[in-house]
Amino acid sequence: MEKRKLLQLCVILSVGVGLFFAFDGTVHSQNSKSLIFNSKHDFTVQSAATIRSTTEDKACIFCHTPHNANPATPLWNHQNSNVPAYQLYSSTTLRATMSQMTNADSSKLCLSCHDGTIAMGDTINNGLIPFVQGSNYTLPPSSASNIHKGTGFADDHPFSFTPVVGSEVQNPPPNDRVRLDRLGKVQCSSCHDPHVENLDATMGKFLVKANLRSALCLSCHTNTGWNTSSHYQPASALDDARYTATQGAHTGYTGVANNGCESCHRPHTSAFAGRLQKFNEENACYKCHNGTVADSNKNIQAEFQNKIYRHPVNLTPSVHDASEGRNSASFPLPETAAGAARHVECADCHNSHSANAQTASPPSVSGALFNVKGFTSSGLGTNSAQFEYEICLKCHADSANKPQAMSSDIGFGRAPDRLVNQNNPSVANKRLEFLSSVSFHPVINPRGLSTGTNGEVPSLRTAVIGSNGQPLPGRPLSPGSLIYCSDCHNNNLGRNLGTGTAPAGTHGSNLVHLLERNYSYNTPPATPGGDFPRITYSTAAYALCDKCHDLNSIVNDRSFSEHRKHIVEVGASCSVCHDAHGINGGNTVNNSHLINFDLSIVAPNSRGLLEYRATGFRNGSCSLNCHGENHNAFSY
């Protein structure tokens, strides 16, 4: 009891000389000082804390002294660290400048204990005070309170720096408990009050205010779209409650919403520096999107692990960088080196701060793709893609490292060797294919072709149909319609089919080229032009085409009088004659109707000709050799 009175006297004396020991210059109440008793910062012999002295009964002197302090403010009494330079935090997206601390930075005082190099009881005016853990006890690297750990602060939220205010960073609002110091710098005391341990009763850690739903983080971080994102407020309370320590929750809070930023990030000793992530790239997403938190309809990990054809998220660790772009020397995008590894990460298509469940119509991005970088149809970079194809064009347009090998299986199914693509330096550039002046599918621009029995595209349905043949809601088709890349490339078992329940999206498919529905390819003959194994016709064999084009119209020759002969009788795939994306090059005489022959199957005829010629509405001729038959200007 007597010792407790001495401790209180210490506080009172401090008040008497105007000392409130506030690192940032703010004044705390005397009551807040009393909250240090029995906290982890109460090192007195009578403290309930595990780390404490064996002799000293005055709480303040471990940090403060009324006389001969060094430095003078705030009457500091603990020996400062003499580490000449620390490894600093760095990030390719950090706009602020990091530098070594000076004596003007109050964070330097915190490090006199928290860098683990100075004994906890090593004071200026009171000598070396022994601790239960030893006379020269320092915080060991294994201690969570040692944020240095002998390696520096590359894996810690930066401190002792002046933040650069921008679209997603602000200075703390007036009267917020999160504050910058007098020089406008972030210090340890911006987030921590060393005198009050439990303002956040769940987390403790001397936070200046409760960090429920990342209230503390959001004082400065204003990520676009966060307040409407699915990670700010998951749609399912049941799913949200599944996020616990088992999935990596480290705050004491339960739920993605309550953990907020710290569901994925950790401000100190994060596993992956730079973005302070707890887990590397896709593994951060898999903690919830493996069916244990987000329900089985969002088990994305299974898609990437189990599907035969999938985006190579699991194969390219640590290649993606959030600073990727045209002006990035280290991470250029589009790729400029033909030999650069193809790579993709979850963050290439999804912004975890903005993604939500909002639906959209082509070509606009859905909520799942909000605020993701992309490239416009003009090839210009954008920080927030407005259209889905702009995200796809990041990798499938102007990058120099696109798969170039034709007539080979490059991991996604055989790539037909197209006639117009011969010696084309921009082969496989989907941006240029969809912008074709000759023929294209309407991903970027509508076709404007007439429909109906006497129209230019009599097979076009009035609406996209699901796998059960029923129209999908909100997806009418007309001459002015646009479609998504993901209308063709998607999960073959997903809810995108209108009947499935598995995740939608281009994560993986058991069908070649990540196709949503079946699209049959012929196996090439030994010699182009020869006969080939025939495909038995059925709507199932070309379910992908049937999604928008009525196959009954096609095989009944309502557009091309030889369709039935080739598709049903010869067993030729649509792919033998048609190039699905668009014709990058060519001309309207030889390449209208998406005609671009597959040279692994079709060969020049006996006169050396290999061409299709349009001669009028639903009239043309073919000169080529295919399925063992010489076509010499066969007309229709």
Side-chain angles (χ1 to χ4, degrees):
M1 187 65 178
E2 186 64 27
K3 291 178 179 178
R4 184 57 48 137
K5 289 181 178 178
L6 290 172
L7 178 59
Q8 292 169 344
L9 177 61
C10 174
V11 173
I12 294 170
L13 286 174
S14 301
V15 173
V17 295
L19 304 180
F20 291 90
F21 309 142
F23 292 170
D24 58 0
T26 57
V27 177
H28 294 279
S29 71
Q30 185 175 331
N31 286 337
S32 71
K33 297 298 175 293
S34 68
L35 293 176
I36 201 170
F37 299 151
N38 291 320
S39 75
K40 290 179 181 176
H41 280 172
D42 179 5
F43 302 133
T44 60
V45 63
Q46 66 270 27
S47 172
T50 301
I51 298 174
R52 64 184 188 279
S53 78
T54 58
T55 59
E56 183 55 60
D57 58 3
K58 295 183 283 296
C60 306
I61 67 166
F62 293 93
C63 296
H64 306 284
T65 180
H67 302 290
N68 302 316
N70 181 26
T73 302
L75 296 178
W76 196 246
N77 192 34
H78 200 270
Q79 296 288 356
N80 280 342
S81 172
N82 55 11
V83 175
Y86 295 102
Q87 183 182 3
L88 302 177
Y89 174 84
S90 67
S91 165
T92 54
T93 54
L94 180 67
R95 298 174 61 198
T97 300
M98 297 292 106
S99 60
Q100 295 294 329
M101 286 177 290
T102 70
N103 287 335
D105 291 308
S106 63
S107 297
K108 192 176 181 68
L109 307 181
C110 305
L111 294 181
S112 63
C113 284
H114 288 282
D115 75 353
T117 65
I118 304 296
M120 299 287 289
D122 196 354
T123 65
I124 295 172
N125 279 336
N126 301 78
L128 185 62
I129 302 171
F131 269 55
V132 170
Q133 289 75 18
S135 296
N136 286 292
Y137 176 71
T138 60
L139 291 173
S142 59
S143 170
S145 298
N146 182 341
I147 63 171
H148 180 231
K149 300 186 185 305
T151 59
F153 307 121
D155 56 357
D156 295 288
H157 189 286
F159 50 88
S160 299
F161 76 102
T162 302
V164 176
V165 174
S167 60
E168 297 194 328
V169 174
Q170 67 176 11
N171 286 333
N175 302 319
D176 196 303
R177 291 188 67 88
V178 176
R179 299 175 183 177
L180 305 181
D181 70 5
R182 290 189 179 93
L183 300 176
K185 299 174 74 173
V186 173
Q187 302 288 358
C188 298
S189 57
S190 297
C191 299
H192 302 280
D193 182 339
H195 303 107
V196 188
E197 184 174 20
N198 293 312
L199 285 175
D200 185 322
T202 300
M203 294 183 66
K205 298 185 180 303
F206 298 92
L207 297 179
V208 295
K209 67 179 182 182
N211 201 24
L212 178 69
R213 299 175 72 91
S214 291
L216 189 152
C217 310
L218 298 177
S219 291
C220 297
H221 294 280
T222 56
N223 294 88
T224 303
W226 174 248
N227 289 340
T228 57
S229 76
S230 295
H231 288 153
Y232 174 77
Q233 185 57 66
S236 166
L238 178 63
D239 290 0
D240 187 25
R242 291 183 181 133
Y243 183 67
T244 65
T246 303
Q247 286 74 41
H250 64 274
T251 63
Y253 289 115
T254 296
V256 174
N258 289 340
N259 278 276
C261 307
E262 296 200 55
S263 299
C264 300
H265 302 279
R266 193 163 191 150
H268 293 293
T269 59
S270 60
F272 294 90
R275 246 64 70 184
L276 299 179
Q277 287 184 250
K278 294 161 60 176
F279 305 97
N280 193 25
E281 296 176 340
E282 69 273 12
N283 291 314
C285 308
Y286 290 167
K287 283 296 176 183
C288 291
H289 291 281
N290 63 353
T292 60
V293 178
D295 64 31
S296 58
N297 291 342
K298 298 183 179 66
N299 187 347
I300 306 303
Q301 183 176 14
E303 295 297 308
F304 286 128
Q305 288 182 336
N306 302 330
K307 287 296 173 64
I308 298 173
Y309 304 96
R310 59 226 182 194
H311 270 107
V313 166
N314 293 340
L315 301 179
T316 54
S318 303
V319 179
H320 164 84
D321 190 89
S323 68
E324 288 174 337
R326 277 195 185 279
N327 299 322
S328 173
S330 301
F331 302 98
L333 200 68
E335 298 281 359
T336 56
R342 296 282 289 177
H343 67 91
V344 65
E345 296 296 344
C346 303
D348 282 307
C349 298
H350 303 287
N351 184 333
S352 58
H353 301 133
S354 302
N356 62 42
Q358 185 173 322
T359 59
S361 297
S364 298
V365 294
S366 65
L369 306 177
F370 273 178
N371 289 319
V372 175
K373 287 184 177 179
F375 285 95
T376 69
S377 61
S378 300
L380 301 176
T382 173
N383 287 327
S384 182
Q386 300 301 303
F387 308 126
E388 184 196 83
Y389 66 78
E390 293 178 336
I391 298 172
C392 305
L393 294 182
K394 287 167 68 175
C395 299
H396 295 284
D398 299 286
S399 282
N401 64 340
K402 294 187 302 298
Q404 301 292 321
M406 296 294 103
S407 295
S408 63
D409 188 332
I410 51 176
F412 294 94
R414 185 175 70 83
D417 189 2
R418 297 295 178 189
L419 175 62
V420 173
N421 288 345
Q422 301 305 294
N423 302 315
N424 185 343
S426 298
V427 65
N429 184 326
K430 302 309 173 197
R431 183 176 69 86
L432 298 180
E433 291 177 358
F434 287 130
L435 289 176
S436 170
S437 60
V438 177
S439 188
F440 55 89
H441 258 112
V443 170
I444 295 177
N445 296 310
R447 288 304 311 271
L449 299 175
S450 58
T451 60
T453 303
N454 297 315
E456 294 163 290
V457 192
S459 64
L460 190 69
R461 296 183 179 278
T462 56
V464 176
I465 63 170
S467 58
N468 58 1
Q470 297 302 307
L472 292 177
R475 293 302 310 275
L477 290 172
S478 71
S481 295
L482 292 170
I483 61 175
Y484 285 126
C485 299
S486 60
D487 276 322
C488 295
H489 303 280
N490 214 315
N491 187 353
N492 67 307
L493 298 173
R495 56 183 178 273
N496 42 287
L497 293 165
T499 55
T501 58
T506 59
H507 310 103
S509 170
N510 287 330
L511 300 175
V512 294
H513 300 295
L514 266 167
L515 294 178
E516 177 189 282
R517 308 183 197 191
N518 199 26
Y519 181 70
S520 300
Y521 289 86
N522 293 102
T523 299
T527 302
D531 203 4
F532 47 74
R534 303 185 177 193
I535 297 170
T536 301
Y537 170 76
S538 69
T539 54
Y542 302 102
L544 187 71
C545 306
D546 194 47
K547 181 177 181 179
C548 297
H549 296 278
D550 184 353
L551 290 182
N552 288 324
S553 168
I554 291 174
V555 299
N556 283 304
D557 299 337
R558 291 170 187 161
S559 53
F560 170 47
S561 61
E562 300 291 324
H563 261 148
R564 184 176 187 83
K565 176 180 180 181
H566 286 87
I567 298 173
V568 179
E569 299 174 12
V570 175
S573 166
C574 309
S575 173
V576 172
C577 298
H578 298 289
D579 188 343
H581 298 105
I583 313 297
N584 178 18
N587 58 69
T588 55
V589 173
N590 301 121
N591 302 105
S592 58
H593 313 300
L594 288 169
I595 292 178
N596 191 9
F597 296 115
D598 181 355
L599 297 184
S600 62
I601 293 179
V602 179
N605 66 8
S606 57
R607 295 182 178 181
L609 294 176
L610 174 50
E611 67 173 15
Y612 157 78
R613 293 185 67 83
T615 57
F617 184 68
R618 296 184 182 173
N619 292 119
S621 67
C622 285
S623 297
L624 51 83
N625 192 7
C626 190
H627 53 88
E629 185 169 342
N630 190 50
H631 296 56
N632 188 12
F634 279 10
S635 60
Y636 63 94

